[in-house]
Amino acid sequence: MVKDSSRFINACWGKPHNAVPVWFMRQAGRYQPTYRQLREHHSFLQMAHSDTVITDVTCRPVEELGVDAAILFSDIMIPMGPMGVDFDIQEHYGPVIAHPIRSGQDVKHIKPLRPEKSLPEIFRSIEQICRRIDPVPLIGFAGAPFTLASYLIEGGPSKTYTETKKMMWEQPDLWKELMKRLADGVISHLSAQIRHGVQAVQIFDSWIGTLGVEDFEYAVLPTMQEIFSELNALQVPTIYFGTDNLALLPLIKQSGARVLSLDWRVSLAEVRKELGSQVALQGNLDPVVLLSSWEVLARKARRVLEDMAGDPAYVFNLGHGVPPGTNPELLKRLVDLVHDYAPATGSGMEI
Ligand code: CP3
């Protein structure tokens, strides 16, 4: 089969292509021996601020696994530093904020982001990566305001999001102000990434599923609509990722994202029926399957592919990130299984 380097972008737009495109969230990370070696000598944050490391770690999955897109090696928290938030990222735990944001004063301290000025290493890397993997596309990303706010307000990972919800309900004006500042940061960061060469952008709203429908509609959706309307004007595919968000999907569809990235709790075939063909879908293999045998993995992956068989607006991915204990060989076999599965459309094929 001819390698079609634009199959990921074509699938995002629902255009014909010659095989189902595949990439993985956290395709660069601790499951790779080379990544673990680098981590022995550097902290995650040191790595995420070094242009040579960013470039190398981002490109490797394309070179080693044959995935159809790279995703920038960085973190949703990185732009928070120049926006005035002091944080660290603790291994096996996540982001920890030195001074959680709770008051009007705290929110006022969140500064506008001038991405090229404060994070020049990221934009140098984007240019290096695009040259190195050309014509394979690079995906840029940012955290969504809600998921970022949940870390900033709680001070770290949370199960209940109590302080976040309290601010949303008890101080709606403060919440709006925080959403606005974060949304402006997301828009400037992603616009700059696009100017420097990324060919698609994904917004990570990992924890949005904690919200009820009404709260999402009033406290988050308008912000997401503003972000996607700004980004869609830049003519690259926009992807909105969330987990545990089945009840929110009809509203999430109204966000304006071109592609919805979903987790394993939903049936993609059902979602397609429910939402129609106006959006592309991405997902949704349960990442824990990567820790099982090849037989189980292959069966579960084929099940996902069957759900979306023949649908041109579909990108194979996991429902969340690659787990650290994954065997890289299995991941490589999974990429081949997806590519060999079946043509994505009945027309426009180059076999
Ligand atoms: O997907 C990719 O390959 C691109 C790189 C990427 C990372 N983080 C690298 C990373 C992306 C897109 C993210 C996004 C991110 N970061 C999200 C949204 C996606 C998701 O996973 O839900 C969230 C919630 C974060 C916050 C964060 N950063 C967490 C929860 C952790 C994991 C803590 C741990 O040790 O398990 C991080 C750290 C992080 N970000 C790692 C990587 C490769 C592991 C760091 C290490 O080397 O120790």
Side-chain angles (χ1 to χ4, degrees):
M1 186 189 302
V2 179
K3 171 86 184 166
D4 173 1
S5 54
S6 50
R7 56 167 83 109
F8 164 70
I9 299 291
N10 281 342
C12 291
W13 294 124
K15 289 188 191 159
H17 46 281
N18 71 356
V20 176
V22 48
W23 68 277
F24 304 113
M25 292 180 272
R26 292 281 163 94
Q27 62 189 17
R30 285 183 305 236
Y31 79 94
Q32 297 168 298
T34 47
Y35 181 93
R36 288 198 302 273
Q37 267 163 24
L38 274 170
R39 272 291 270 120
E40 273 173 29
H41 307 287
H42 306 281
S43 71
F44 173 75
L45 289 179
Q46 280 170 338
M47 285 170 61
H49 285 293
S50 151
D51 59 352
T52 51
V53 173
I54 299 171
T55 301
D56 208 46
V57 170
T58 302
C59 293
R60 265 191 208 142
V62 172
E63 295 159 356
E64 291 170 4
L65 303 174
V67 286
D68 296 295
I71 179 156
L72 183 67
F73 176 71
S74 187
D75 194 83
I76 59 168
M77 293 304 293
I78 297 294
M80 295 297 106
M83 289 174 78
V85 178
D86 185 7
F87 71 92
D88 195 10
I89 292 188
Q90 286 180 13
E91 197 171 354
H92 306 297
Y93 185 66
V96 178
I97 315 304
H99 309 287
I101 289 179
R102 302 276 165 92
S103 69
Q105 272 310 99
D106 298 336
V107 170
K108 273 203 200 105
H109 281 125
I110 298 181
K111 295 185 284 204
L113 179 68
R114 296 172 66 194
E116 283 112 330
K117 192 159 181 297
S118 36
L119 299 166
E121 64 282 12
I122 291 191
F123 299 95
R124 275 199 304 276
S125 309
I126 289 176
E127 290 169 10
Q128 292 164 7
I129 294 161
C130 291
R131 277 198 296 275
R132 181 159 146 189
I133 62 174
D134 178 64
V136 173
L138 172 64
I139 303 169
F141 75 90
F146 175 81
T147 288
L148 290 171
S150 79
Y151 284 115
L152 301 187
I153 299 168
E154 303 295 333
S158 172
K159 285 197 167 67
T160 54
Y161 303 94
T162 307
E163 297 303 324
T164 310
K165 290 181 179 182
K166 273 166 62 185
M167 185 191 287
M168 201 172 81
W169 293 329
E170 291 172 7
Q171 298 178 272
D173 291 339
L174 189 58
W175 174 260
K176 261 194 206 144
E177 181 61 29
L178 177 58
M179 288 287 106
K180 168 98 189 90
R181 287 181 191 229
L182 293 172
D184 288 348
V186 168
I187 293 167
S188 2
H189 195 31
L190 291 178
S191 309
Q193 292 180 38
I194 294 166
R195 278 199 295 282
H196 287 263
V198 309
Q199 283 150 278
V201 290
Q202 176 154 324
I203 298 189
F204 285 91
D205 215 351
S206 308
W207 316 133
I208 194 65
T210 188
L211 288 187
V213 173
E214 189 200 23
D215 290 325
F216 179 75
E217 182 166 13
Y218 293 105
V220 175
L221 182 59
T223 306
M224 297 313 298
Q225 286 172 327
E226 190 201 326
I227 293 175
F228 284 117
S229 115
E230 293 274 340
L231 295 172
N232 285 336
L234 304 178
Q235 312 282 334
V236 302
T238 48
I239 310 170
Y240 189 17
F241 167 79
T243 68
D244 215 354
N245 57 3
L246 179 60
L248 304 178
L249 285 181
L251 289 171
I252 283 180
K253 187 188 165 194
Q254 295 175 28
S255 67
R258 170 65 211 158
V259 185
L260 303 185
S261 191
L262 305 174
D263 78 6
W264 60 94
R265 294 174 179 92
V266 304
S267 143
L268 291 182
E270 291 290 315
V271 171
R272 172 59 85 214
K273 259 193 252 155
E274 195 70 16
L275 299 188
S277 56
Q278 292 310 300
V279 286
L281 300 178
Q282 175 175 276
N284 71 343
L285 185 67
D286 186 337
V288 175
V289 169
L290 291 171
L291 304 174
S292 188
S293 66
W294 169 249
E295 286 65 33
V296 172
L297 169 56
R299 177 161 56 78
K300 301 288 273 180
R302 285 200 190 95
R303 184 71 194 79
V304 172
L305 287 160
E306 271 161 32
D307 257 5
M308 296 307 281
D311 192 322
Y314 170 59
V315 176
F316 187 95
N317 206 315
L318 306 173
H320 211 157
V322 176
T326 298
N327 172 355
E329 271 310 305
L330 283 191
L331 215 49
K332 168 101 190 66
R333 284 179 75 178
L334 177 56
V335 172
D336 295 341
L337 181 149
V338 175
H339 285 159
D340 293 342
Y341 178 69
T345 66
S347 59
M349 294 181 296
E350 331 157 21
I351 297 180

